[in-house]
Coordinates of all heavy atoms in Angstrom, one line a residue:
E69 N 4.6 -5.8 -22.4 CA 3.3 -6.5 -22.6 C 3.3 -7.9 -21.9 O 2.3 -8.3 -21.3 CB 3.0 -6.6 -24.1 CG 2.4 -5.4 -24.7 CD 1.1 -5.0 -24.2 OE1 0.4 -5.8 -23.5 OE2 0.7 -3.8 -24.3
P70 N 4.4 -8.7 -22.0 CA 4.4 -10.0 -21.4 C 4.1 -9.9 -19.9 O 3.5 -10.8 -19.3 CB 5.7 -10.6 -21.7 CG 6.1 -9.9 -23.0 CD 5.6 -8.5 -22.8
V71 N 4.7 -8.9 -19.2 CA 4.5 -8.8 -17.8 C 3.1 -8.3 -17.5 O 2.5 -8.8 -16.5 CB 5.6 -7.8 -17.2 CG1 5.2 -7.4 -15.8 CG2 6.9 -8.5 -17.2
L72 N 2.6 -7.4 -18.3 CA 1.3 -6.9 -18.1 C 0.2 -8.0 -18.2 O -0.8 -8.0 -17.5 CB 0.9 -5.7 -19.1 CG 1.8 -4.5 -18.9 CD1 1.4 -3.5 -20.1 CD2 1.5 -3.8 -17.6
A73 N 0.5 -8.9 -19.1 CA -0.5 -10.0 -19.3 C -0.3 -11.2 -18.5 O -1.1 -12.1 -18.4 CB -0.5 -10.4 -20.8
G74 N 0.9 -11.3 -17.7 CA 1.2 -12.5 -17.0 C 1.2 -12.3 -15.5 O 0.8 -11.3 -15.0
P75 N 1.7 -13.3 -14.8 CA 1.6 -13.3 -13.3 C 2.8 -12.7 -12.6 O 2.8 -12.5 -11.4 CB 1.6 -14.8 -13.0 CG 2.3 -15.5 -14.1 CD 2.0 -14.7 -15.3
S76 N 3.8 -12.3 -13.4 CA 5.0 -11.7 -12.8 C 4.7 -10.4 -12.2 O 3.9 -9.6 -12.6 CB 6.1 -11.6 -13.9 OG 7.2 -10.8 -13.4
G77 N 5.4 -10.0 -11.1 CA 5.5 -8.7 -10.6 C 6.3 -7.8 -11.5 O 6.9 -8.2 -12.4
A78 N 6.3 -6.5 -11.1 CA 7.1 -5.6 -11.9 C 7.4 -4.3 -11.1 O 6.6 -4.0 -10.2 CB 6.4 -5.2 -13.2
I79 N 8.5 -3.6 -11.5 CA 8.8 -2.4 -10.8 C 9.0 -1.4 -12.0 O 9.7 -1.6 -13.0 CB 10.1 -2.4 -10.0 CG1 10.0 -3.5 -8.9 CG2 10.5 -1.1 -9.5 CD1 11.3 -3.9 -8.4
A80 N 8.3 -0.2 -11.9 CA 8.3 0.8 -13.0 C 8.8 2.1 -12.5 O 8.4 2.5 -11.4 CB 6.8 1.0 -13.5
L81 N 9.7 2.7 -13.2 CA 10.4 3.9 -12.8 C 10.2 5.0 -13.7 O 10.3 4.8 -14.9 CB 12.0 3.6 -12.6 CG 12.4 2.4 -11.9 CD1 14.0 2.4 -11.9 CD2 11.9 2.4 -10.5
F82 N 9.9 6.2 -13.2 CA 9.9 7.5 -14.0 C 10.3 8.6 -13.0 O 10.2 8.4 -11.8 CB 8.5 7.7 -14.6 CG 7.4 8.1 -13.6 CD1 7.2 9.4 -13.2 CD2 6.6 7.1 -13.0 CE1 6.2 9.8 -12.3 CE2 5.6 7.4 -12.1 CZ 5.4 8.8 -11.8
W83 N 10.8 9.6 -13.6 CA 11.4 10.7 -12.8 C 10.3 11.5 -12.0 O 9.2 11.7 -12.5 CB 12.2 11.7 -13.6 CG 13.5 11.1 -14.2 CD1 13.9 11.2 -15.5 CD2 14.5 10.4 -13.5 NE1 15.1 10.6 -15.6 CE2 15.5 10.1 -14.4 CE3 14.7 10.0 -12.1 CZ2 16.7 9.4 -14.1 CZ3 15.9 9.3 -11.8 CH2 16.9 9.0 -12.8
H84 N 10.7 11.9 -10.8 CA 9.8 12.7 -9.9 C 9.1 13.9 -10.6 O 7.9 14.2 -10.4 CB 10.5 13.1 -8.7 CG 9.7 13.6 -7.5 ND1 9.2 14.9 -7.5 CD2 9.2 12.9 -6.4 CE1 8.5 15.0 -6.4 NE2 8.5 13.8 -5.7
G85 N 9.9 14.5 -11.4 CA 9.3 15.7 -12.1 C 8.2 15.5 -13.1 O 7.6 16.4 -13.6
R86 N 8.0 14.2 -13.4 CA 6.9 13.8 -14.4 C 5.7 13.3 -13.7 O 4.8 12.7 -14.3 CB 7.5 12.9 -15.4 CG 8.8 13.3 -16.1 CD 8.5 14.7 -16.7 NE 9.8 15.4 -17.0 CZ 10.3 15.5 -18.2 NH1 9.7 14.9 -19.3 NH2 11.4 16.2 -18.4
I87 N 5.6 13.5 -12.3 CA 4.3 13.1 -11.6 C 3.1 13.7 -12.3 O 2.1 13.0 -12.5 CB 4.5 13.4 -10.1 CG1 5.4 12.4 -9.4 CG2 3.1 13.3 -9.5 CD1 5.7 12.7 -8.0
P88 N 3.1 15.0 -12.7 CA 1.8 15.5 -13.2 C 1.4 14.8 -14.6 O 0.3 15.0 -15.0 CB 2.2 17.0 -13.5 CG 3.2 17.3 -12.5 CD 4.0 16.1 -12.4
L89 N 2.3 14.0 -15.2 CA 2.1 13.4 -16.4 C 1.9 11.9 -16.3 O 1.6 11.2 -17.2 CB 3.2 13.6 -17.5 CG 3.8 15.0 -17.6 CD1 4.9 15.0 -18.6 CD2 2.7 16.0 -17.9
C90 N 1.9 11.4 -15.0 CA 2.2 10.0 -14.8 C 1.0 9.1 -15.2 O 1.2 7.9 -15.5 CB 2.6 9.7 -13.4 SG 1.3 9.9 -12.2
L91 N -0.2 9.6 -15.3 CA -1.4 8.8 -15.6 C -1.3 8.4 -17.1 O -2.2 7.6 -17.5 CB -2.7 9.4 -15.3 CG -3.1 9.4 -13.9 CD1 -4.6 9.6 -13.8 CD2 -2.8 8.1 -13.1
A92 N -0.4 8.9 -17.9 CA -0.2 8.4 -19.2 C 0.1 6.9 -19.3 O -0.3 6.2 -20.3 CB 1.0 9.2 -19.9
T93 N 0.6 6.4 -18.2 CA 0.9 4.9 -18.1 C -0.2 4.2 -17.4 O -0.1 2.9 -17.3 CB 2.3 4.7 -17.3 OG1 2.1 5.0 -15.9 CG2 3.4 5.6 -17.9
A94 N -1.2 4.9 -16.9 CA -2.3 4.2 -16.2 C -3.0 3.1 -17.0 O -3.3 2.0 -16.4 CB -3.3 5.2 -15.7
P95 N -3.4 3.3 -18.2 CA -4.1 2.2 -19.0 C -3.3 0.9 -19.0 O -3.9 -0.1 -19.1 CB -4.3 2.8 -20.4 CG -4.3 4.3 -20.2 CD -3.3 4.6 -19.1
Q96 N -2.0 1.0 -18.9 CA -1.2 -0.2 -18.9 C -1.2 -0.8 -17.5 O -1.5 -2.0 -17.3 CB 0.3 0.1 -19.3 CG 0.4 0.3 -20.8 CD -0.1 1.7 -21.3 OE1 0.1 2.7 -20.6 NE2 -0.8 1.7 -22.4
W97 N -0.9 0.0 -16.5 CA -0.8 -0.5 -15.1 C -2.1 -0.8 -14.5 O -2.1 -1.6 -13.5 CB 0.1 0.4 -14.3 CG 1.5 0.5 -14.7 CD1 2.1 1.6 -15.2 CD2 2.4 -0.5 -14.8 NE1 3.4 1.3 -15.6 CE2 3.6 0.0 -15.4 CE3 2.4 -1.9 -14.5 CZ2 4.7 -0.8 -15.6 CZ3 3.5 -2.7 -14.8 CH2 4.7 -2.1 -15.3
W98 N -3.2 -0.3 -15.0 CA -4.5 -0.7 -14.5 C -4.8 -2.2 -14.8 O -5.7 -2.8 -14.2 CB -5.6 0.1 -15.2 CG -5.8 1.4 -14.5 CD1 -5.6 1.8 -13.2 CD2 -6.3 2.6 -15.1 NE1 -6.0 3.1 -13.0 CE2 -6.4 3.6 -14.2 CE3 -6.7 2.9 -16.5 CZ2 -6.8 4.9 -14.4 CZ3 -7.2 4.2 -16.7 CH2 -7.2 5.2 -15.7
R99 N -4.0 -2.8 -15.7 CA -4.2 -4.2 -16.0 C -3.6 -5.1 -14.9 O -3.8 -6.3 -15.0 CB -3.6 -4.5 -17.4 CG -4.3 -3.8 -18.5 CD -3.5 -3.8 -19.8 NE -3.1 -5.1 -20.3 CZ -2.3 -5.3 -21.3 NH1 -1.8 -4.3 -22.0 NH2 -1.9 -6.5 -21.7
K100 N -2.8 -4.5 -14.0 CA -2.2 -5.3 -12.9 C -2.6 -4.7 -11.6 O -3.0 -3.5 -11.6 CB -0.7 -5.4 -13.1 CG -0.2 -6.2 -14.2 CD 1.3 -6.4 -14.2 CE 1.7 -7.4 -13.1 NZ 1.3 -8.8 -13.5
R101 N -2.5 -5.4 -10.5 CA -2.6 -4.8 -9.2 C -1.3 -3.9 -9.1 O -0.2 -4.4 -9.1 CB -2.6 -5.9 -8.1 CG -3.8 -6.8 -8.2 CD -3.7 -7.9 -7.1 NE -2.6 -8.7 -7.2 CZ -1.6 -8.8 -6.3 NH1 -1.6 -8.0 -5.2 NH2 -0.5 -9.5 -6.5
T102 N -1.5 -2.6 -8.9 CA -0.4 -1.7 -8.9 C -0.5 -0.7 -7.7 O -1.6 -0.2 -7.4 CB -0.4 -0.9 -10.2 OG1 -0.3 -1.8 -11.3 CG2 0.8 0.1 -10.2
R103 N 0.6 -0.5 -7.1 CA 0.7 0.5 -6.0 C 1.9 1.4 -6.3 O 2.7 1.1 -7.2 CB 1.0 -0.2 -4.6 CG -0.1 -1.1 -4.2 CD 0.1 -1.8 -2.9 NE 0.0 -0.9 -1.8 CZ 0.2 -1.3 -0.5 NH1 0.5 -2.6 -0.2 NH2 0.2 -0.4 0.5
A104 N 1.9 2.5 -5.6 CA 3.0 3.6 -5.8 C 3.8 3.8 -4.6 O 3.2 3.8 -3.5 CB 2.3 4.9 -6.3
F105 N 5.1 4.0 -4.7 CA 6.0 4.3 -3.6 C 5.9 5.8 -3.5 O 6.2 6.6 -4.4 CB 7.4 4.0 -4.0 CG 8.1 3.0 -3.0 CD1 7.3 2.4 -2.0 CD2 9.4 2.9 -3.1 CE1 8.0 1.5 -1.1 CE2 10.1 2.0 -2.2 CZ 9.3 1.3 -1.2
V106 N 5.4 6.3 -2.3 CA 5.2 7.8 -2.1 C 5.8 8.2 -0.7 O 5.6 7.5 0.3 CB 3.7 8.1 -2.1 CG1 3.5 9.6 -1.9 CG2 3.1 7.7 -3.5
S107 N 6.4 9.3 -0.7 CA 7.0 9.8 0.5 C 5.9 10.1 1.6 O 4.8 10.5 1.3 CB 7.7 11.2 0.2 OG 8.0 11.9 1.4
P108 N 6.2 10.0 2.9 CA 5.3 10.3 3.9 C 5.3 11.8 4.3 O 4.6 12.2 5.3 CB 5.8 9.4 5.1 CG 7.2 9.4 4.9 CD 7.4 9.3 3.4
S109 N 5.9 12.6 3.5 CA 6.0 14.0 3.8 C 4.6 14.7 3.5 O 3.7 14.0 2.9 CB 7.0 14.7 2.9 OG 6.7 14.6 1.5
S110 N 4.5 16.0 3.8 CA 3.2 16.6 3.5 C 3.0 16.7 2.0 O 1.8 16.5 1.5 CB 3.2 18.1 4.1 OG 4.3 18.8 3.6
D111 N 4.0 16.9 1.2 CA 3.8 16.9 -0.2 C 3.4 15.5 -0.7 O 2.5 15.3 -1.6 CB 5.1 17.3 -1.0 CG 5.4 18.7 -0.8 OD1 4.5 19.5 -0.4 OD2 6.6 19.2 -1.1
G112 N 4.0 14.5 -0.1 CA 3.7 13.1 -0.5 C 2.3 12.8 -0.1 O 1.6 11.9 -0.8
E113 N 1.7 13.4 0.9 CA 0.3 13.0 1.3 C -0.7 13.4 0.3 O -1.5 12.5 -0.1 CB 0.0 13.7 2.7 CG -1.4 13.5 3.1 CD -1.8 12.1 3.3 OE1 -0.9 11.3 3.7 OE2 -3.0 11.7 3.1
F114 N -0.6 14.6 -0.3 CA -1.6 14.9 -1.3 C -1.4 14.2 -2.6 O -2.3 13.8 -3.3 CB -1.8 16.4 -1.5 CG -0.8 17.1 -2.2 CD1 -0.8 17.1 -3.6 CD2 0.2 17.9 -1.6 CE1 0.2 17.8 -4.3 CE2 1.2 18.5 -2.3 CZ 1.2 18.5 -3.7
I115 N -0.1 13.9 -2.9 CA 0.2 13.1 -4.1 C -0.4 11.7 -3.9 O -1.0 11.1 -4.8 CB 1.7 13.0 -4.3 CG1 2.2 14.4 -4.8 CG2 2.1 12.0 -5.4 CD1 3.8 14.5 -4.8
A116 N -0.2 11.1 -2.7 CA -0.8 9.8 -2.4 C -2.3 9.8 -2.6 O -2.9 8.8 -3.2 CB -0.4 9.3 -1.0
Q117 N -2.9 10.9 -2.1 CA -4.4 10.9 -2.2 C -4.8 11.1 -3.7 O -5.8 10.4 -4.2 CB -4.9 12.1 -1.5 CG -4.8 12.0 0.0 CD -5.5 13.0 0.8 OE1 -6.5 13.6 0.3 NE2 -5.0 13.3 2.0
A118 N -4.0 11.8 -4.5 CA -4.3 12.0 -5.9 C -4.2 10.7 -6.7 O -5.0 10.3 -7.5 CB -3.4 13.0 -6.6
L119 N -3.1 9.9 -6.4 CA -2.9 8.6 -7.1 C -3.9 7.6 -6.6 O -4.4 6.8 -7.4 CB -1.5 8.1 -6.8 CG -0.3 9.0 -7.4 CD1 1.0 8.4 -6.9 CD2 -0.4 9.0 -8.9
A120 N -4.3 7.6 -5.4 CA -5.4 6.7 -4.9 C -6.7 7.0 -5.6 O -7.5 6.0 -5.9 CB -5.6 6.9 -3.4
M121 N -7.0 8.2 -6.0 CA -8.2 8.6 -6.7 C -8.2 7.8 -8.1 O -9.3 7.5 -8.6 CB -8.3 10.1 -7.0 CG -8.7 10.9 -5.9 SD -8.6 12.7 -6.3 CE -9.7 12.8 -7.7
S122 N -7.0 7.5 -8.6 CA -6.9 6.9 -9.9 C -6.5 5.4 -9.8 O -6.1 4.8 -10.8 CB -5.8 7.6 -10.7 OG -6.2 9.0 -11.0
G123 N -6.7 4.8 -8.6 CA -6.5 3.4 -8.5 C -5.2 2.9 -8.1 O -4.8 1.7 -8.4
F124 N -4.3 3.8 -7.6 CA -2.9 3.4 -7.3 C -2.7 3.7 -5.8 O -2.1 4.8 -5.5 CB -1.9 4.1 -8.2 CG -2.1 3.8 -9.6 CD1 -2.5 4.8 -10.5 CD2 -1.8 2.6 -10.1 CE1 -2.7 4.6 -11.9 CE2 -2.0 2.3 -11.5 CZ -2.4 3.3 -12.3
P125 N -3.1 2.9 -4.9 CA -2.8 3.1 -3.5 C -1.3 3.1 -3.2 O -0.5 2.6 -3.9 CB -3.5 1.9 -2.8 CG -3.6 0.9 -3.8 CD -3.8 1.6 -5.1
A126 N -0.9 3.8 -2.1 CA 0.5 4.1 -1.9 C 1.1 3.1 -0.8 O 0.4 2.6 0.1 CB 0.7 5.5 -1.4
I127 N 2.4 2.9 -1.0 CA 3.2 2.4 0.0 C 4.1 3.6 0.4 O 4.8 4.2 -0.5 CB 4.1 1.2 -0.4 CG1 3.3 0.0 -0.7 CG2 5.2 0.9 0.6 CD1 4.1 -1.2 -1.3
R128 N 4.1 4.0 1.6 CA 4.8 5.3 2.0 C 6.2 5.0 2.3 O 6.6 4.1 3.2 CB 4.1 5.9 3.2 CG 2.6 6.1 3.0 CD 2.3 6.9 1.7 NE 2.8 8.3 1.8 CZ 2.0 9.3 2.3 NH1 0.9 9.1 2.9 NH2 2.5 10.6 2.3
I129 N 7.2 5.7 1.7 CA 8.6 5.5 1.9 C 9.3 6.8 2.1 O 8.9 7.8 1.5 CB 9.2 4.7 0.7 CG1 10.7 4.6 0.8 CG2 8.9 5.5 -0.6 CD1 11.1 3.6 1.9
S130 N 10.3 6.8 3.0 CA 11.1 8.0 3.2 C 12.5 7.7 3.1 O 13.0 6.6 3.4 CB 10.8 8.6 4.6 OG 11.6 9.7 4.8
S131 N 13.3 8.7 2.5 CA 14.8 8.5 2.5 C 15.3 9.0 3.9 O 15.3 10.2 4.1 CB 15.4 9.4 1.4 OG 14.9 9.0 0.1
A132 N 15.8 8.1 4.6 CA 16.2 8.4 6.0 C 17.6 9.1 5.9 O 18.5 8.7 5.3 CB 16.3 7.1 6.8
K133 N 17.7 10.2 6.7 CA 19.0 10.9 6.9 C 19.9 10.1 7.9 O 19.4 9.3 8.7 CB 18.8 12.3 7.5 CG 18.0 13.2 6.5 CD 17.8 14.6 7.1 CE 17.1 15.5 6.1 NZ 16.9 16.9 6.7
K134 N 21.2 10.2 7.7 CA 22.1 9.5 8.6 C 21.8 9.9 10.0 O 21.7 11.0 10.4 CB 23.6 9.9 8.2 CG 24.6 9.1 9.0 CD 26.0 9.5 8.5 CE 27.1 8.7 9.2 NZ 28.4 9.0 8.7
G135 N 21.7 8.8 10.9 CA 21.5 9.0 12.3 C 20.0 9.0 12.7 O 19.7 9.0 13.8
D136 N 19.1 9.0 11.7 CA 17.7 9.1 12.0 C 17.2 7.7 12.0 O 16.7 7.1 11.0 CB 16.9 9.9 10.9 CG 15.5 10.2 11.3 OD1 15.0 9.4 12.1 OD2 14.9 11.2 10.8
S137 N 17.2 7.0 13.2 CA 16.9 5.6 13.3 C 15.4 5.3 13.1 O 15.1 4.3 12.5 CB 17.3 5.1 14.7 OG 16.7 5.8 15.7
A138 N 14.6 6.2 13.5 CA 13.1 6.0 13.3 C 12.8 6.0 11.8 O 12.0 5.0 11.4 CB 12.3 7.1 14.0
K139 N 13.3 6.9 11.1 CA 13.0 6.9 9.6 C 13.6 5.8 8.9 O 13.1 5.2 8.0 CB 13.4 8.3 9.0 CG 12.4 9.4 9.3 CD 12.7 10.6 8.3 CE 11.6 11.6 8.5 NZ 11.7 12.8 7.6
A140 N 14.8 5.4 9.4 CA 15.5 4.2 8.9 C 14.6 3.0 9.0 O 14.5 2.2 8.1 CB 16.9 4.1 9.5

Side-chain angles (χ1 to χ4, degrees):
E69 283 293 343
V71 166
L72 295 173
S76 171
I79 301 163
L81 309 182
F82 68 91
W83 292 131
H84 193 276
R86 305 307 160 100
I87 286 175
L89 315 181
C90 70
L91 283 200
T93 69
Q96 287 72 45
W97 295 117
W98 277 331
R99 294 163 58 184
K100 292 188 74 70
R101 297 179 300 116
T102 302
R103 298 178 71 180
F105 236 14
V106 181
S107 164
S109 66
S110 56
D111 288 347
E113 176 58 32
F114 76 81
I115 291 171
Q117 292 188 28
L119 293 174
M121 285 175 58
S122 297
F124 299 113
I127 294 174
R128 307 303 294 273
I129 178 67
S130 177
S131 299
K133 296 180 180 179
K134 186 175 181 180
D136 191 336
S137 59
K139 282 196 173 182

